Amino acid sequence: MQQKFTSSSKMNDLIKEDTSLLLTMTRFGFSLGFGDKTVKEVCMEKKVDEKTFLAVINFISNGYKEENINHEIISIDAVILYLRNAHDFFLDFKLPLIRKKLIEAIDSCVQEQPYRKMIMKFYDDYVAEVQKHMDYENETVFPYVLSLLEGKKNPRYNIAVFEKNHENIDSKLSDLKNILIKYFPAQQPNYLLNEVLFDLSACEKDLEKHNRVEDHFFVPITETLEKKLSTAVKEEPTAAEKVDNLTEREKEILVSVVKGLTNKEIANKLFLSTHTVISHRRNITRKLEIHSTAGLTIYAIVNKLVTLDEIKSVIE
Ligand SMILES: [Fe+2]
Ligand SMILES: [Fe+2]
């Protein structure tokens, strides 16, 4: 499918098309003052993975269609950094700012303390839930995914667990908005309160987008990564392949070892230093994952590097 934005799209045009993309840009580390620069130029300048940035921007702009994501070109590190920056934005900036405006708005139009207290409790409880939700992602989910990149798979966790329990965190904001619109006992028109309502709506939409990126972009990419890793584990080299991975020199040294020669004798025989022989032996052990001479002997026989007759005197 033809993507809406490409490397040669101007950053300026992206914002003109959809102002809310500015938030996505900021979370990728871009600052305003783009001039006529293209996506490619700005990404190079800021060292942001261009393909990942375009994939996220196009995903959001094209209506969150999972089928259009090319998993092979995405940098999951860049996606995680983007999501973490979004968490910081909500927790450290947007939600505290709304709180401040909410107090100001309530204080300016109602005198009754219980209203203030109840509304603020509702808001603070909500923020605590968001904090918990995002802490879990920062401290459990993202480290898990980053460990997949290092080829490690936690056997007790997978992204399906996260997907199953991942809740929408925007719905409660909608509740608060409705409480204010329908039941708030404001005696007169209040611009501050209107401002809070606009902020709550914008934040609700932004959180909903964030959730969609996590559910339909981050989760499927992580699933692909998990599948690749489990295939890689299954494709562990067989014993024969491991032997083939040994260099000719290492095979020569392995045979000498199982024939009972010492490092010094092997060094003399192959015109090498003892130090080089030890280094080769270390590599053989690492590649075959066998540490003892007895183990190496069995290995050499099974893989026909030596015959039983050749080492008869050593093993008897
Ligand atoms: Fe999140
Ligand atoms: Fe989330």
Side-chain angles (χ1 to χ4, degrees):
M1 188 205 153
Q2 181 78 31
Q3 296 287 19
K4 200 168 183 178
F5 301 116
T6 64
S7 300
S8 54
S9 301
K10 299 232 165 94
M11 294 295 272
N12 188 21
D13 291 337
L14 262 70
I15 303 170
K16 274 191 204 153
E17 172 98 17
D18 178 358
T19 321
S20 74
L21 289 180
L22 189 54
L23 288 168
T24 312
M25 292 175 185
T26 309
R27 287 163 200 169
F28 270 97
F30 299 131
S31 42
L32 286 175
F34 295 121
D36 277 330
K37 285 179 188 156
T38 62
V39 167
K40 192 182 184 66
E41 287 166 335
V42 175
C43 284
M44 270 175 74
E45 203 175 283
K46 293 283 178 186
K47 295 190 174 56
V48 169
D49 188 84
E50 181 195 316
K51 290 186 171 118
T52 307
F53 172 68
L54 277 170
V56 172
I57 289 276
N58 280 314
F59 173 74
I60 294 172
S61 304
N62 289 329
Y64 311 92
K65 293 192 183 98
E66 245 180 86
E67 63 273 18
N68 293 340
I69 309 168
N70 178 356
H71 295 204
E72 300 306 318
I73 59 163
I74 311 285
S75 153
I76 198 107
D77 302 76
V79 176
I80 290 177
L81 185 63
Y82 159 76
L83 294 173
R84 278 190 195 276
N85 285 341
H87 292 173
D88 290 348
F89 166 81
F90 289 118
L91 295 171
D92 301 338
F93 177 75
K94 193 68 185 175
L95 293 171
L97 185 64
I98 294 180
R99 188 182 196 280
K100 215 170 126 203
K101 287 188 179 179
L102 188 58
I103 293 176
E104 217 181 320
I106 298 171
D107 285 351
S108 71
C109 58
V110 286
Q111 306 303 320
E112 293 93 336
Q113 278 301 309
Y115 285 118
R116 183 189 204 266
K117 219 173 159 185
M118 275 188 298
I119 290 174
M120 291 322 296
K121 183 173 179 340
F122 185 96
Y123 186 78
D124 289 341
D125 286 350
Y126 169 70
V127 172
E129 269 180 44
V130 176
Q131 175 90 49
K132 202 173 148 199
H133 177 113
M134 292 181 175
D135 282 350
Y136 171 72
E137 288 166 359
N138 286 343
E139 289 159 23
T140 303
V141 184
F142 299 157
Y144 162 75
V145 178
L146 292 173
S147 73
L148 291 177
L149 290 179
E150 290 169 11
K152 295 176 210 149
K153 168 90 181 72
N154 179 349
R156 291 180 299 280
Y157 194 81
N158 60 55
I159 204 68
V161 176
F162 166 70
E163 193 184 11
K164 208 171 131 215
N165 299 304
H166 192 218
E167 285 177 354
N168 287 342
I169 39 171
D170 49 283
S171 53
K172 272 212 171 169
L173 268 192
S174 158
D175 280 0
L176 179 59
K177 214 174 62 183
N178 289 332
I179 291 168
L180 293 179
I181 293 171
K182 290 186 175 175
Y183 309 112
F184 192 72
Q187 306 300 326
Q188 56 209 11
N190 188 304
Y191 287 127
L192 284 173
L193 200 56
N194 290 354
E195 278 293 307
V196 172
L197 282 170
F198 291 140
D199 276 353
L200 286 172
S201 296
C203 190
E204 184 190 346
K205 279 198 192 112
D206 198 10
L207 279 166
E208 192 197 335
K209 279 185 184 178
H210 178 78
N211 256 29
R212 286 186 172 201
V213 171
E214 285 177 339
D215 285 338
H216 305 290
F217 189 95
F218 170 71
V219 166
I221 289 166
T222 304
E223 278 169 349
T224 304
L225 201 59
E226 282 176 339
K227 275 183 210 146
K228 268 190 197 163
L229 198 62
S230 61
T231 316
V233 170
K234 277 184 211 132
E235 283 172 2
E236 265 281 293
T238 60
E241 282 167 344
K242 279 183 180 173
V243 170
D244 285 341
N245 280 340
L246 295 183
T247 62
E248 285 309 310
R249 181 59 97 194
E250 285 163 352
K251 284 181 191 170
E252 257 179 311
I253 291 174
L254 173 62
V255 168
S256 304
V257 170
V258 301
K259 282 183 177 170
L261 271 67
T262 63
N263 288 340
K264 202 169 174 355
E265 285 166 341
I266 299 171
N268 290 339
K269 185 181 148 199
L270 301 176
F271 304 105
L272 299 170
S273 70
T274 314
H275 178 77
T276 307
V277 172
I278 292 170
S279 161
H280 281 304
R281 285 191 69 165
R282 208 175 291 130
N283 287 339
I284 295 167
T285 301
R286 181 177 51 79
K287 287 183 182 176
L288 301 183
E289 292 164 6
I290 296 175
H291 298 84
S292 67
T293 307
L296 290 174
T297 306
I298 296 168
Y299 213 91
I301 294 168
V302 170
N303 289 286
K304 300 185 173 48
L305 292 176
V306 287
T307 62
L308 256 178
D309 281 345
E310 282 178 284
I311 52 165
K312 219 172 181 178
S313 57
V314 185
I315 54 177
E316 272 172 2

